[in-house]
Short mmCIF file of all heavy atoms in Angstrom, two decimals:
data_model
loop_
_atom_site.label_atom_id
_atom_site.label_comp_id
_atom_site.label_asym_id
_atom_site.label_seq_id
_atom_site.Cartn_x
_atom_site.Cartn_y
_atom_site.Cartn_z
N GLY I 1 -19.49 -15.04 0.02
CA GLY I 1 -19.22 -13.77 0.66
C GLY I 1 -18.60 -12.75 -0.27
O GLY I 1 -18.37 -13.00 -1.46
N LEU I 2 -18.33 -11.59 0.30
CA LEU I 2 -17.64 -10.50 -0.37
C LEU I 2 -16.61 -9.96 0.60
O LEU I 2 -16.94 -9.63 1.75
CB LEU I 2 -18.62 -9.40 -0.78
CG LEU I 2 -18.04 -8.25 -1.61
CD1 LEU I 2 -17.63 -8.75 -3.00
CD2 LEU I 2 -19.04 -7.10 -1.72
N GLU I 3 -15.36 -9.87 0.15
CA GLU I 3 -14.25 -9.49 1.04
C GLU I 3 -13.43 -8.39 0.41
O GLU I 3 -13.21 -8.37 -0.81
CB GLU I 3 -13.37 -10.71 1.31
CG GLU I 3 -12.25 -10.46 2.31
CD GLU I 3 -11.48 -11.72 2.64
OE1 GLU I 3 -11.41 -12.62 1.77
OE2 GLU I 3 -10.94 -11.81 3.75
N SER I 4 -12.96 -7.48 1.25
CA SER I 4 -12.07 -6.40 0.79
C SER I 4 -10.87 -6.33 1.72
O SER I 4 -10.98 -6.62 2.92
CB SER I 4 -12.81 -5.06 0.77
OG SER I 4 -13.22 -4.69 2.08
N TRP I 5 -9.73 -5.94 1.15
CA TRP I 5 -8.53 -5.73 1.97
C TRP I 5 -7.68 -4.62 1.38
O TRP I 5 -7.68 -4.38 0.18
CB TRP I 5 -7.73 -7.01 2.16
CG TRP I 5 -7.38 -7.78 0.92
CD1 TRP I 5 -8.17 -8.64 0.23
CD2 TRP I 5 -6.11 -7.78 0.24
NE1 TRP I 5 -7.49 -9.19 -0.83
CE2 TRP I 5 -6.23 -8.68 -0.86
CE3 TRP I 5 -4.90 -7.13 0.45
CZ2 TRP I 5 -5.18 -8.93 -1.74
CZ3 TRP I 5 -3.85 -7.38 -0.43
CH2 TRP I 5 -3.99 -8.27 -1.50
N LEU I 6 -7.01 -3.92 2.27
CA LEU I 6 -6.15 -2.78 1.91
C LEU I 6 -4.75 -3.06 2.42
O LEU I 6 -4.58 -3.66 3.49
CB LEU I 6 -6.70 -1.50 2.53
CG LEU I 6 -5.90 -0.20 2.36
CD1 LEU I 6 -6.85 0.99 2.33
CD2 LEU I 6 -4.87 0.01 3.49
N ARG I 7 -3.76 -2.61 1.66
CA ARG I 7 -2.37 -2.74 2.12
C ARG I 7 -1.62 -1.46 1.78
O ARG I 7 -1.65 -0.99 0.64
CB ARG I 7 -1.67 -3.95 1.49
CG ARG I 7 -0.31 -4.24 2.11
CD ARG I 7 0.28 -5.55 1.59
NE ARG I 7 1.61 -5.78 2.08
CZ ARG I 7 1.92 -6.44 3.19
NH1 ARG I 7 0.95 -6.95 3.93
NH2 ARG I 7 3.17 -6.62 3.56
N VAL I 8 -0.95 -0.90 2.79
CA VAL I 8 -0.14 0.30 2.61
C VAL I 8 1.07 0.22 3.52
O VAL I 8 0.99 -0.24 4.66
CB VAL I 8 -0.98 1.58 2.91
CG1 VAL I 8 -1.54 1.56 4.33
CG2 VAL I 8 -0.17 2.84 2.66
N GLU I 9 2.24 0.62 3.00
CA GLU I 9 3.50 0.53 3.74
C GLU I 9 4.06 1.93 3.99
O GLU I 9 3.99 2.81 3.13
CB GLU I 9 4.52 -0.29 2.96
CG GLU I 9 4.08 -1.73 2.71
CD GLU I 9 5.17 -2.56 2.05
OE1 GLU I 9 6.36 -2.32 2.38
OE2 GLU I 9 4.84 -3.43 1.24
N PHE I 10 4.67 2.09 5.18
CA PHE I 10 5.31 3.34 5.56
C PHE I 10 6.75 3.02 5.98
O PHE I 10 7.03 2.74 7.16
CB PHE I 10 4.56 4.01 6.71
CG PHE I 10 3.13 4.34 6.38
CD1 PHE I 10 2.11 3.47 6.76
CD2 PHE I 10 2.80 5.49 5.68
CE1 PHE I 10 0.79 3.75 6.46
CE2 PHE I 10 1.48 5.79 5.38
CZ PHE I 10 0.47 4.92 5.76
N PRO I 11 7.68 3.01 5.02
CA PRO I 11 9.06 2.64 5.35
C PRO I 11 9.81 3.78 6.04
O PRO I 11 9.46 4.96 5.90
CB PRO I 11 9.67 2.34 3.98
CG PRO I 11 8.87 3.16 3.02
CD PRO I 11 7.49 3.24 3.58
N ASN I 12 10.83 3.40 6.78
CA ASN I 12 11.73 4.35 7.42
C ASN I 12 13.17 3.90 7.13
O ASN I 12 13.58 2.84 7.61
CB ASN I 12 11.49 4.40 8.92
CG ASN I 12 12.37 5.42 9.62
OD1 ASN I 12 12.93 6.31 8.99
ND2 ASN I 12 12.53 5.25 10.93
N PRO I 13 13.91 4.64 6.31
CA PRO I 13 13.60 5.96 5.75
C PRO I 13 12.59 5.89 4.61
O PRO I 13 12.49 4.87 3.93
CB PRO I 13 14.97 6.44 5.25
CG PRO I 13 15.73 5.19 4.96
CD PRO I 13 15.28 4.19 5.99
N ALA I 14 11.84 6.98 4.42
CA ALA I 14 10.79 7.02 3.41
C ALA I 14 11.34 7.54 2.09
O ALA I 14 12.06 8.54 2.07
CB ALA I 14 9.65 7.92 3.88
N PRO I 15 11.05 6.88 0.98
CA PRO I 15 11.52 7.35 -0.33
C PRO I 15 10.68 8.53 -0.84
O PRO I 15 9.51 8.67 -0.48
CB PRO I 15 11.34 6.12 -1.22
CG PRO I 15 10.19 5.40 -0.61
CD PRO I 15 10.29 5.62 0.87
N HIS I 16 11.30 9.34 -1.66
CA HIS I 16 10.59 10.46 -2.31
C HIS I 16 10.95 10.46 -3.79
O HIS I 16 12.12 10.43 -4.14
CB HIS I 16 11.01 11.80 -1.67
CG HIS I 16 10.67 11.91 -0.21
ND1 HIS I 16 9.39 12.18 0.24
CD2 HIS I 16 11.45 11.78 0.89
CE1 HIS I 16 9.41 12.21 1.57
NE2 HIS I 16 10.65 11.98 1.99
N PRO I 17 9.96 10.47 -4.67
CA PRO I 17 8.52 10.41 -4.38
C PRO I 17 8.11 9.01 -3.96
O PRO I 17 8.85 8.05 -4.13
CB PRO I 17 7.90 10.79 -5.72
CG PRO I 17 8.89 10.30 -6.73
CD PRO I 17 10.24 10.55 -6.13
N ARG I 18 6.89 8.91 -3.47
CA ARG I 18 6.37 7.63 -2.99
C ARG I 18 6.00 6.73 -4.16
O ARG I 18 5.17 7.11 -5.00
CB ARG I 18 5.16 7.88 -2.10
CG ARG I 18 4.60 6.64 -1.45
CD ARG I 18 3.40 6.98 -0.57
NE ARG I 18 2.79 5.77 -0.05
CZ ARG I 18 3.18 5.15 1.05
NH1 ARG I 18 4.20 5.63 1.75
NH2 ARG I 18 2.59 4.05 1.45
N PRO I 19 6.57 5.52 -4.28
CA PRO I 19 6.28 4.65 -5.43
C PRO I 19 4.97 3.88 -5.27
O PRO I 19 4.44 3.73 -4.16
CB PRO I 19 7.47 3.69 -5.45
CG PRO I 19 7.88 3.59 -4.01
CD PRO I 19 7.63 4.95 -3.42
N TYR I 20 4.48 3.37 -6.38
CA TYR I 20 3.26 2.57 -6.39
C TYR I 20 3.38 1.36 -5.46
O TYR I 20 2.40 0.96 -4.82
CB TYR I 20 2.99 2.10 -7.82
CG TYR I 20 2.03 0.93 -7.93
CD1 TYR I 20 0.66 1.13 -7.89
CD2 TYR I 20 2.51 -0.38 -8.05
CE1 TYR I 20 -0.22 0.06 -7.98
CE2 TYR I 20 1.63 -1.46 -8.13
CZ TYR I 20 0.27 -1.24 -8.09
OH TYR I 20 -0.59 -2.30 -8.18
N ALA I 21 4.56 0.77 -5.37
CA ALA I 21 4.77 -0.47 -4.61
C ALA I 21 4.43 -0.32 -3.13
O ALA I 21 4.19 -1.33 -2.45
CB ALA I 21 6.20 -0.95 -4.76
N LEU I 22 4.40 0.90 -2.61
CA LEU I 22 4.12 1.10 -1.20
C LEU I 22 2.63 1.25 -0.91
O LEU I 22 2.22 1.31 0.24
CB LEU I 22 4.86 2.34 -0.67
CG LEU I 22 6.39 2.25 -0.70
CD1 LEU I 22 7.01 3.54 -0.16
CD2 LEU I 22 6.88 1.05 0.11
N GLY I 23 1.80 1.33 -1.95
CA GLY I 23 0.37 1.46 -1.77
C GLY I 23 -0.03 2.89 -1.42
O GLY I 23 0.78 3.82 -1.53
N PRO I 24 -1.29 3.08 -1.01
CA PRO I 24 -2.25 2.02 -0.67
C PRO I 24 -2.85 1.34 -1.90
O PRO I 24 -3.11 1.99 -2.91
CB PRO I 24 -3.33 2.78 0.12
CG PRO I 24 -3.27 4.17 -0.42
CD PRO I 24 -1.82 4.42 -0.75
N VAL I 25 -3.06 0.04 -1.76
CA VAL I 25 -3.80 -0.72 -2.77
C VAL I 25 -5.00 -1.35 -2.08
O VAL I 25 -4.92 -1.75 -0.91
CB VAL I 25 -2.93 -1.80 -3.43
CG1 VAL I 25 -1.85 -1.16 -4.29
CG2 VAL I 25 -2.31 -2.73 -2.41
N VAL I 26 -6.10 -1.44 -2.82
CA VAL I 26 -7.34 -1.99 -2.27
C VAL I 26 -7.85 -3.05 -3.23
O VAL I 26 -7.94 -2.83 -4.45
CB VAL I 26 -8.41 -0.89 -2.09
CG1 VAL I 26 -9.70 -1.51 -1.52
CG2 VAL I 26 -7.91 0.22 -1.19
N TYR I 27 -8.20 -4.22 -2.68
CA TYR I 27 -8.75 -5.32 -3.46
C TYR I 27 -10.13 -5.68 -2.92
O TYR I 27 -10.36 -5.65 -1.70
CB TYR I 27 -7.86 -6.56 -3.35
CG TYR I 27 -6.57 -6.49 -4.13
CD1 TYR I 27 -5.43 -5.92 -3.58
CD2 TYR I 27 -6.49 -7.02 -5.41
CE1 TYR I 27 -4.24 -5.87 -4.29
CE2 TYR I 27 -5.30 -6.98 -6.13
CZ TYR I 27 -4.18 -6.40 -5.56
OH TYR I 27 -3.00 -6.36 -6.27
N VAL I 28 -11.04 -6.03 -3.83
CA VAL I 28 -12.39 -6.46 -3.46
C VAL I 28 -12.78 -7.63 -4.35
O VAL I 28 -12.50 -7.62 -5.56
CB VAL I 28 -13.42 -5.32 -3.64
CG1 VAL I 28 -14.83 -5.80 -3.26
CG2 VAL I 28 -13.04 -4.11 -2.81
#
């Protein structure tokens, strides 16, 4: 097969600027 997944986080309180660690990241 072929599989893809995305992960993105929305913390509260939100940091500024938004770091890489919060995504979105996509893997295939």
